[in-house]
Amino acid sequence: MAQQTMYPAIANSPGTELSAAITAAVTTIPVVTGSVLPEGPNIITIGVDETSETVLYTSKSGNSLIGCTRGFGGTTAKGWAVASRVARYYTAYDHDAFRKNLTDLSGVTNESTTDIVLSAGQQILNATKNARLQGLKVQGRTLIDLLGGAGSGESLTGWTQNGATATTLSSTQKRSGSTAFKFSPSAGASYITKDFTSPLDASKYYVMAGWVFIESYVDGSLNLALRDVGTMTTRYNMSINVSLLGQWQFVYFKIPTNNTLLGTGYRLTAGSTGSGTNVTYMDEIRLYAVSAADYAAIGTIITGEAIDRLLPYVPPGINGVDGLYVRRYGRNLLPPFTDKAWSFNPNAKANGPYQSVLTATAEWQAISCAVPVIPGKTYYLSIEGITANSGAVGSYLDSNKKNDLAVLSGGWIQNQPLTVPEGYYYILINLASNQIGTYNFNNPQLELGSVATPFQPREDSLIAFGGVELHANPTDGNEPDILCEVNGRYEVTRLWRKSNLVGDWSWLFDTNYTGFKRVRVILPTSSGINASERVTKYNGYPLYPSAGVYSAADQSTLYNGVLYITIANTDSGWGDSYTPTPDEIKAYFNGWRMYNGASGVATNPYNGTAGQTKGWVEILSAGNPVGVLPTTIPSGWTPYQLLYRLATPTTETVQEDGALSLLEGDNFIEVGSGYISREPARPKKNALSDVYYIGLNDAGNGGDSNLKKRASEIKQVFKNGLPDFWNIDKLADGTCYAWTDNYDTAATYSVSYIKLDKSPVPSVSGAYAATEKMQIHDLTDAVTEISSTVSVLAAKKAEKDAGPWITPSAVLSGFTAFDLAYRVNKGFIEFRGYVYYNITDVPAGTKIFNLPTQFRPVRITRMLTSSWTSKVDPTSSAVSVGVNGDITTEVNVKQNIIFDGLRFPLD
């Protein structure tokens, strides 16, 4: 079969411009610099967006392209203005020719794909071909802990102590963070209670869950329960296995619709409520509203720790699928010895990525690494350089990397298959010896399966979406945001918007009630749908959605784009008889509480009566009093958050990091969240050494090193945009940090990492090539996507070559500017944005703004545009630019005048 012509490319796609305007019929095309284009025959593209035209030319003559075929490769021939962009970009014709020729040469004709669904967490996927994951699609989820973080195990504030032995916070056993609740009664009780005044909706389903660790147990009633508010009447209780000692157990209970809780709210109890003797820890206690489908699946289809992966403990506030990533581990699951996953005895060292030496001075000194695995799966461990007295011994670990289960009673575990018991998620590998001497351990490999394959280095594959947060209805999961691949790029269709409720919004007082007040604000976008909002307070506690009838503080309603919130006087410091000003409401949402400054007591409200003076203290600390209206935001302040449904879905393109490839055979895959891409960082120097740190947020060790979130895993440090080698270490609380003694003070640094705080993790769907022809199709698609990216970057570079956008120093005559700016670009002055006039009709000759000298035309210039009073009645209009730089209305126009796309020549 005849091959289709494939025209040569040119490195970096240098561009030029048309030196004169052309019509759709001309066959000789003049350009400014013909030398940057390849010799003919070849093809060029005129334009840089979806309206561009591809042209085939037979030869060049100086700065002219000869023998042109217009509208080539399925594009449309049309007229082009002088200075239109011209370059040799990758085109649809190139892609089709490449794909056709490869397909013809391959001799394969069948195209098919295999659909896959990857669940949250770790799993094994068996692929029939080496191929990349394509057609990725994921739906958003939203989790709001109704306990507002009270079950974090990090604080006893707000809890009531009960029993003979006080509950404490302990770091001895914990699931996350720094501490967990510790109950240690001795022939008595030890428990805590907390009342919540917002009722559980009887029309909805709920799940409460947490983790329990029993260190020792003689007797006692271990309890994690919901009771009627203000009472000890139990309605829902978790089943805790008191015989399961020395390990964490996941516990939960479900709350059906038409729940039996009495009163307005509920009481949570945790601990040992009956007389007994035991030592027990509890952590990550949470309460979520769930969909009917999830409710039915929990305890039947979804069991055990899979429930924890579906409903992970998340920080207080509104949590969407934030920073999704999909990682395929290398066939060799062991990282190189240079990776900080390995722990070295002082007598051992790495001699290279996969070479190490142990000079043992005693038996069982070791080089150790804990490797994630899947319960029930079989793995094979092989090592080069072992002797009769050296090799690998190991243990299985649970999901918290604790509670060793001896492997083969301490025997050597290399060169044999290992089947992981249920309930264990790591293999702890110790490369060691049972005698004094020098031992080399080379090319260790842990792989799926029951037989060994030739050694290969660890090579992971990852695709991630840092900075992309996806939501859904927080009650039932309906109407989710959707992230999917579209023609090689990734798009998000958004139905939900999350915003911080900050002080610089236009807050207003609305209504006074006894003990609380209602305030309101018009959302910056009025596209919210009534009653779809969820609001969380500064402490993470969710506000109760009101139906417009306000009976207490901490209620909210979204109505016609206006958000109403009730605030307790004890929170705000406003007395019953005082009406706060808009600026004082802003101060509250920025983290400040008012009080009667004359009293000197921060809890005394301000009523505006004689003898009182205004004062403010920080809400979180109740300290740092000031006597003037504060405009700053206190350290550590977390604002109210709002999630609301958009009236009209929006679509936006998002940037991915990496691309996911699958290996033929078994693939160990992890679906997670929390990936943060290339966050700027300013390394901090240790006061006692020349070491610089990133992510070590400890004043005693380098100071605040400016990562916005605590890192559980640092993927890469970048120097001036390129990967840079830094040492990676972990602290006892699970946070990860990077350090170096080779810091360049003149460079810029950024970090890609996975945050420690959890986010919901969804399932991911996609497909991979199942036949040779589909593999070729996939390959050519990948080439097209890369070339398209290069073309976009080239176009963006051309745009960057233009001058910067400049905002007018002032707009005149009562106009208000919206994103109004101008710049010089290839001999033209071009504009963006629009202006709004404070009178419905704008008279002819009204001055809008003035251009500086270097941006003025040589003669008076007229620019045609449009104006409108509302977006449904645009009218043709015109503005003129004088040689003095004045831009004025040329005719009577309407309130809003468009400047987007307007331009005029400088000469």
Side-chain angles (χ1 to χ4, degrees), residues 164-165 184-190 275-278:
T165 306
S184 51
S186 178
S190 176
S275 180
T277 300
N278 60 77

Side-chain angles (χ1 to χ4, degrees), residues 449-497:
S450 58
V451 297
T453 64
F455 171 79
Q456 55 184 289
R458 167 82 169 260
E459 185 179 0
D460 293 352
S461 177
L462 177 139
I463 186 169
F465 300 89
V468 179
E469 188 169 358
L470 307 172
H471 285 277
N473 188 302
T475 298
D476 56 22
N478 287 335
E479 300 182 302
D481 296 336
I482 296 176
L483 167 68
C484 61
E485 184 181 2
V486 179
N487 297 325
R489 67 183 187 277
Y490 289 91
E491 293 182 350
V492 174
T493 300
R494 294 197 182 279
L495 292 170
W496 297 86
R497 184 75 66 200

Side-chain angles (χ1 to χ4, degrees), residues 159-181:
W159 290 91
T160 299
Q161 295 270 3
N162 299 275
T165 306
T167 303
T168 61
L169 301 177
S170 173
S171 60
T172 303
Q173 297 291 342
K174 60 183 186 297
R175 284 295 301 185
S176 62
S178 300
T179 57
F181 299 124

Side-chain angles (χ1 to χ4, degrees), residues 91 215 349 522 588 707 717 890:
T91 68
E215 185 176 285
K349 65 179 180 179
I522 300 175
Y588 170 77
L707 287 182
V717 177
E890 194 168 273

Side-chain angles (χ1 to χ4, degrees), residues 816-852:
T816 301
F818 292 88
D819 195 33
L820 181 66
Y822 58 89
R823 69 176 180 182
V824 61
N825 186 12
K826 299 183 179 67
F828 286 81
I829 301 299
E830 56 186 29
F831 299 85
R832 73 179 188 199
Y834 72 98
V835 295
Y836 167 80
Y837 194 53
N838 60 2
I839 303 173
T840 300
D841 294 323
V842 187
T846 303
K847 187 187 299 185
I848 304 172
F849 66 99
N850 180 270
L851 292 171

Side-chain angles (χ1 to χ4, degrees), residues 5 14 71 99 105 112 171 183 332 346 349 435 457 572 596 615 625 697 706 754 790 792 820 824 828 860 875:
T5 303
R99 178 179 172 187
L105 289 172
S112 67
S171 60
F183 310 93
N332 182 0
K349 65 179 180 179
Q435 290 186 6
S572 66
N596 175 15
N697 298 308
N706 294 317
I754 297 174
V790 171
V792 169
L820 181 66
V824 61
F828 286 81
I860 190 168
T875 301

Side-chain angles (χ1 to χ4, degrees), residues 437-665:
T438 299
Y439 303 92
N440 294 289
F441 301 105
N442 299 326
N443 295 337
Q445 178 159 290
L446 181 71
E447 56 190 311
L448 281 160
S450 58
V451 297
T453 64
F455 171 79
Q456 55 184 289
R458 167 82 169 260
E459 185 179 0
D460 293 352
S461 177
L462 177 139
I463 186 169
F465 300 89
V468 179
E469 188 169 358
L470 307 172
H471 285 277
N473 188 302
T475 298
D476 56 22
N478 287 335
E479 300 182 302
D481 296 336
I482 296 176
L483 167 68
C484 61
E485 184 181 2
V486 179
N487 297 325
R489 67 183 187 277
Y490 289 91
E491 293 182 350
V492 174
T493 300
R494 294 197 182 279
L495 292 170
W496 297 86
R497 184 75 66 200
K498 174 182 170 182
S499 295
N500 287 334
L501 300 180
V502 291
D504 58 0
W505 286 13
S506 299
W507 293 96
L508 296 171
F509 175 79
D510 191 80
T511 307
N512 195 29
Y513 299 87
T514 301
F516 64 97
K517 302 182 190 299
R518 189 172 75 205
V519 300
R520 70 179 189 273
V521 65
I522 300 175
L523 297 185
T525 172
S526 59
S527 53
I529 293 179
N530 296 348
S532 291
E533 96 288 349
R534 288 308 302 269
V535 177
T536 57
K537 204 172 173 180
Y538 60 81
N539 56 9
Y541 186 73
L543 272 59
Y544 185 69
S546 168
V549 178
Y550 302 91
S551 57
D554 297 332
Q555 296 180 348
S556 63
T557 301
L558 180 62
Y559 182 74
N560 286 342
V562 181
L563 177 67
Y564 298 86
I565 291 177
T566 58
I567 303 170
N569 292 348
T570 52
D571 280 334
S572 66
W574 306 322
D576 274 331
S577 61
Y578 182 70
T579 299
T581 68
D583 285 339
E584 290 165 350
I585 299 173
K586 291 180 179 181
Y588 170 77
F589 283 100
N590 276 338
W592 295 90
R593 182 174 71 238
M594 284 186 72
Y595 76 106
N596 175 15
S599 71
V601 180
T603 55
N604 285 350
Y606 179 77
N607 280 293
T609 56
Q612 290 193 342
T613 61
K614 293 181 179 180
W616 289 264
V617 293
E618 295 179 2
I619 292 175
L620 295 181
S621 67
N624 296 323
V626 295
V628 295
L629 182 73
T631 57
T632 59
I633 298 176
S635 175
W637 173 252
T638 301
Y640 279 64
Q641 292 181 336
L642 165 70
L643 179 72
Y644 61 98
R645 172 70 157 80
L646 298 174
T648 303
T650 63
T651 300
E652 60 190 57
T653 300
V654 297
Q655 182 62 51
E656 76 278 11
D657 273 10
L660 187 75
S661 64
L662 302 175
L663 303 171
E664 184 174 341

